[in-house]
Amino acid sequence: MKLQNTLLSISGSVLLFATTTASAAPQVKHLAGPAEEIQLMQKAAPEAAAIVSKSALVPVNLSDSSTWNKQLLIDGDNPKVLLFSPNADQWEVKIKANNHNKSLNLKELNYTVSETLFGMAEEKFPAVQYDLQNMTSGRYQFNIKNLNKSKGQGEGYLLLSGDSPYQLSSFTGKHGYLVGEEVTLFANALTSDNSFTMVKNDLQLIQSANIRITAPDGNTSSRTMFDDGFSIDKAAFDGQFTTSFVAQEPGLYRIQVEAHGLTPKGKPFFRTIEHVVPVIDDRLKLTSKAATGEYVADHKINLTFSTQQMNKAMSNSRYRVIAEVWGQGLKGEEKAITWLSSIVDTKGGEINLQLDDRWLLSAGQSQNYSLKNIRIEDINHYISVLEIDQLNMRLPVVSEKSARLFDGQITQSMLFGNKPKSVAKNKAAGGKLMLVHGYCSSDVWGSQQGQFSNSVKFSDFNQNRSHDAFAQRIDTFGDNYPSFGIVAHSQGGAAALHLYSYYWSGLDDAGSGRLIQSVGTPYQGTPLAGNLASVGNVFGVGCGYNSNLTTSGASSWLAGIPTWARNAVNYYTTSPTTKWWRPDWCQIVTDPFLRDPDDGTTEKHRGQLSGGVNRGHKTGQCHTDGMRDMAQTKDSGRNSTMSSNASR
């Protein structure tokens, strides 16, 4: 039950499976774009969010005994063992190699030990690190004994890692599921020879693989993974192992993928990967036979179709809707016209999208219009609760006035609608540069605020927010000013992009310059999110799991962010200074979970935003204070550049 109690709750009255906010939601935009962007708005490929592991995270349970024993595999040079547990100072660790008759206490080995921290941003958990310099690849018997039973036995994890070039890659069939759906898992081996190429199973790198499932109620089960070409496995012996299970209840499923085998040099291969999969009991049923359109303003056609909530107990009514508009040419050929999207409120059962008739005019003469590939997603995870292949459209005749006034140019009104009069801003001077922090963060801009002229600081410290809830809080704070630009750290960059994409705010009234600038934002997620959920569970504290920061969650969110919004983002990434005489990590305990280069939280390649403006990568800087190099928010030169170029 710890997992559910610790991870389902998101601070500030926002629950992972229900959306409530401290104030009314801001006015939504009605998004659209040219037909060539339709591919960008389609669901992300699951394999694009694959997690890659060069380590193994092994659960330790002393609940039923004062000792724990397990044979584990270690390969590669410079092996490291990390122990996570609230009771680590009361645990004695011993290891025994298969070719040794004597059990070796760690104190007798050539080793170094240090206290360290594992975490993402400001949320960190203690760990004991052992560097074992004289251990060779092989099988080792690990023994952990609780020396003080009166202080409780509890749970923990051992993390094993080394310098082997072989890694494990794994992804889920999709980011999240509905109750009753089949959850699928895929895994294969990679070699990190700068290409991260898949290793075919004829090399027998993976000889066996399985998953360990912890359901929302705390019950555990396991499934074997297969590469035999049967059932859901696509091809026999292609190196990709597959398995599945049915999600029977809503909540978070913690899934560990475990793979064993041999490297081509005969050394043992042992890797694990942690997934956290959200499952919701929320689905809609289509009740309309067509989407009906009527003019509500010049050029603007309101499209309406109806749905019904299948689970009457659900209180959700806000969803992200994405659809494609298609027509037929005069010869009957199919013609893609535009895509539409918005965040909608379905309290009355109706879905409302807005179509600008200038998209119809730009496509030339067409007929028999329809909405295709409609997906309606919950606002916290972007899990589809209803997908519709095609829905006919009943549209009014395009007005002669619209046809006469349209000059063929794409306008802002076509891309995100007309600004409601209720959100019109005061055009007087007074715009600000807003400094925004990230997930579970303290005051990262702190003493640096003086490096930004005419700035204000957004403060929602040590909280866990979905991108949508985070964006709404930025908007509420921004209502104090006629306009603002944003400089953001970590998740704050994604929240700012979400705000600009979906809601009218002071960002839309900012002057010339860079509208959104970010440092260290994991636009494509971070593998730490799943591992942090597992490790944090044994400590029973922390900010908790954030769906939008996982690799799969981030890719699902990005699959609805339009090009024009991405173009407004200027982003920076960093990594530590590389020296020949020391490892290139920011935080040694997170390094086994991340692909180099990284800043201790965000991998460089997952910090990229397609369509955004990459302002460069700088070494010698890490994600936050407490890591090996300087915190990236403390670069006075970059801060000065961002300040002088910012919109306000």
Side-chain angles (χ1 to χ4, degrees):
M1 293 302 292
K2 260 191 215 174
L3 177 69
Q4 191 174 27
N5 293 338
T6 302
L7 300 180
L8 281 187
S9 230
I10 292 183
S11 304
S13 301
V14 178
L15 300 181
L16 195 60
F17 299 102
T19 302
T20 57
T21 57
S23 60
Q27 292 287 313
V28 299
K29 292 179 176 178
H30 298 285
L31 313 185
E36 53 266 28
E37 286 185 359
I38 284 178
Q39 185 65 37
L40 177 71
M41 306 301 287
Q42 292 181 347
K43 289 193 295 186
E47 56 270 24
I51 300 173
V52 176
S53 170
K54 50 189 175 184
S55 62
L57 189 66
V58 182
V60 176
N61 193 331
L62 292 174
S63 299
D64 300 323
S65 172
S66 61
T67 60
W68 177 88
N69 294 278
K70 192 174 182 69
Q71 188 179 86
L72 299 173
L73 305 174
I74 294 180
D75 69 300
D77 299 326
N78 303 311
K80 295 179 178 61
V81 176
L82 291 106
L83 175 63
F84 304 97
S85 173
N87 303 310
D89 59 341
Q90 301 295 323
W91 287 6
E92 179 185 66
V93 180
K94 292 183 179 181
I95 59 173
K96 180 180 179 181
N98 278 359
N99 58 348
H100 288 283
N101 295 322
K102 178 183 176 183
S103 178
L104 300 175
N105 189 296
L106 287 173
K107 295 180 180 179
E108 301 171 320
L109 294 172
N110 178 20
Y111 77 101
T112 57
V113 61
S114 59
E115 302 291 326
T116 187
L117 294 172
F118 169 76
M120 185 167 67
E122 306 290 319
E123 181 178 36
K124 295 186 174 65
F125 303 107
V128 179
Q129 173 194 329
Y130 302 94
D131 292 329
L132 308 169
Q133 285 103 17
N134 63 346
M135 288 180 67
T136 57
S137 298
R139 298 179 183 271
Y140 290 82
Q141 189 73 26
F142 281 72
N143 175 278
I144 297 178
K145 182 178 181 180
N146 189 342
L147 300 177
N148 191 343
K149 296 182 181 180
S150 65
K151 290 200 173 184
Q153 293 152 356
E155 300 172 300
Y157 284 94
L158 278 176
L159 177 67
L160 312 177
S161 66
D163 291 342
S164 171
Y166 296 101
Q167 304 185 8
L168 178 67
S169 174
S170 176
F171 59 93
T172 56
K174 54 183 180 178
H175 166 55
Y177 294 82
L178 303 179
V179 170
E181 288 187 329
E182 189 173 47
V183 180
T184 54
L185 280 298
F186 303 86
N188 58 269
L190 301 176
T191 178
S192 60
D193 56 355
N194 296 322
S195 60
F196 289 94
T197 54
M198 182 172 169
V199 179
K200 290 190 175 181
N201 204 33
D202 53 12
L203 295 177
Q204 294 187 333
L205 188 65
I206 298 180
Q207 296 179 329
S208 65
N210 64 276
I211 62 171
R212 185 182 300 107
I213 308 158
T214 302
D217 62 4
N219 290 325
T220 60
S221 59
S222 61
R223 297 284 191 281
T224 301
M225 304 187 80
F226 296 99
D227 183 21
D228 55 9
F230 293 102
S231 186
I232 59 173
D233 186 54
K234 294 180 180 179
F237 311 119
D238 64 347
Q240 186 171 88
F241 286 70
T242 312
T243 193
S244 66
F245 67 94
V246 176
Q248 301 285 6
E249 59 181 313
L252 296 177
Y253 286 76
R254 196 171 80 239
I255 305 168
Q256 183 180 66
V257 178
E258 182 178 293
H260 296 264
L262 289 174
T263 71
K265 294 184 178 180
K267 294 185 177 182
F269 176 83
F270 174 39
R271 303 285 185 272
T272 67
I273 284 177
E274 305 290 319
H275 296 283
V276 179
V277 178
V279 174
I280 61 176
D281 191 9
D282 182 6
R283 65 183 76 218
L284 302 177
K285 179 176 73 173
L286 177 67
T287 58
S288 291
K289 294 183 179 180
T292 303
E294 64 175 337
Y295 275 101
V296 292
D298 287 346
H299 297 300
K300 303 301 182 183
I301 300 173
N302 190 57
L303 290 174
T304 302
F305 60 94
S306 298
T307 62
Q308 180 181 332
Q309 175 60 257
M310 300 299 292
N311 183 354
K312 300 301 182 183
M314 290 299 298
S315 60
N316 283 0
S317 62
R318 295 178 66 247
Y319 298 92
R320 181 173 76 172
V321 182
I322 301 173
E324 302 165 13
V325 178
W326 288 70
Q328 286 183 344
L330 297 182
K331 295 182 179 180
E333 73 277 12
E334 285 197 314
K335 184 184 296 187
I337 295 172
T338 184
W339 59 265
L340 306 175
S341 182
S342 188
I343 292 176
V344 303
D345 193 313
T346 63
K347 285 181 180 177
E350 288 190 344
I351 302 291
N352 290 286
L353 293 172
Q354 193 175 94
L355 171 64
D356 192 299
D357 64 12
R358 287 169 288 190
W359 293 112
L360 303 177
L361 292 168
S362 67
Q365 289 186 314
S366 301
Q367 58 190 353
N368 298 330
Y369 295 106
S370 64
L371 287 176
K372 289 189 177 184
N373 299 320
I374 306 167
R375 66 181 193 271
I376 304 174
E377 304 169 331
D378 81 298
I379 199 62
N380 286 314
H381 309 286
Y382 307 101
I383 299 171
S384 293
V385 301
L386 176 62
E387 295 188 1
I388 305 165
D389 291 336
Q390 183 167 331
L391 185 63
N392 291 334
M393 297 167 63
R394 298 171 184 156
L395 296 179
V397 176
V398 174
S399 70
E400 292 182 5
K401 179 180 178 182
S402 290
R404 186 172 63 254
L405 295 177
F406 181 52
D407 62 1
Q409 300 300 309
I410 295 176
T411 65
Q412 288 188 344
S413 175
M414 293 171 63
L415 293 173
F416 44 85
N418 297 331
K419 181 185 295 184
K421 293 181 180 179
S422 60
V423 296
K425 297 289 184 178
N426 177 8
K427 296 299 183 180
K432 298 290 184 180
L433 176 58
M434 188 188 301
L435 307 181
V436 179
H437 56 73
Y439 159 86
C440 197
S441 178
S442 63
D443 187 6
V444 293
W445 294 112
S447 58
Q448 280 71 246
Q449 185 176 357
Q451 298 169 2
F452 298 91
S453 63
N454 195 23
S455 65
V456 293
K457 187 165 54 183
F458 171 80
S459 302
D460 187 36
F461 301 140
N462 303 310
Q463 302 298 321
N464 182 3
R465 312 287 190 196
S466 68
H467 287 351
D468 188 69
F470 201 151
Q472 292 189 50
R473 281 163 175 77
I474 295 173
D475 174 70
T476 298
F477 180 67
D479 283 343
N480 295 300
Y481 311 99
S483 65
F484 58 88
I486 287 177
V487 165
H489 179 242
S490 196
Q491 190 196 0
L497 174 56
H498 184 93
L499 174 62
Y500 184 55
S501 298
Y502 292 108
Y503 299 111
W504 292 100
S505 74
L507 283 170
D508 297 290
D509 294 296
S512 61
R514 300 179 188 173
L515 189 64
I516 299 171
Q517 300 176 87
S518 68
V519 181
T521 296
Y523 289 106
Q524 299 179 52
T526 171
L528 291 185
N531 292 284
L532 187 64
S534 297
V535 173
N537 182 55
V538 304
F539 288 88
V541 295
C543 288
Y545 168 80
N546 190 305
S547 174
N548 300 163
L549 292 176
T550 64
T551 57
S552 59
S555 65
S556 296
W557 165 72
L558 273 176
I561 303 299
T563 299
W564 55 260
R566 296 171 185 237
N567 293 163
V569 176
N570 293 258
Y571 64 91
Y572 299 84
T573 56
T574 73
S575 62
T577 301
T578 301
K579 302 288 186 181
W580 67 267
W581 44 267
R582 69 178 185 185
D584 55 346
W585 44 258
C586 269
Q587 189 172 341
I588 191 169
V589 72
T590 62
D591 186 64
F593 299 108
L594 300 173
R595 184 187 294 182
D596 295 333
D598 64 85
D599 65 11
T601 295
T602 301
E603 298 164 312
K604 179 183 178 182
H605 76 285
R606 294 196 193 274
Q608 307 302 303
L609 176 65
S610 176
V613 181
N614 185 344
R615 291 294 174 180
H617 182 85
K618 192 170 185 178
T619 60
Q621 298 176 8
C622 296
H623 199 76
T624 59
D625 284 325
M627 298 185 179
R628 193 180 68 185
D629 291 348
M630 177 183 74
Q632 56 197 193
T633 55
K634 294 184 175 179
D635 185 330
S636 59
R638 181 169 58 235
N639 290 347
S640 176
T641 298
M642 290 194 292
S643 177
S644 61
N645 286 282
S647 299
R648 287 175 176 80

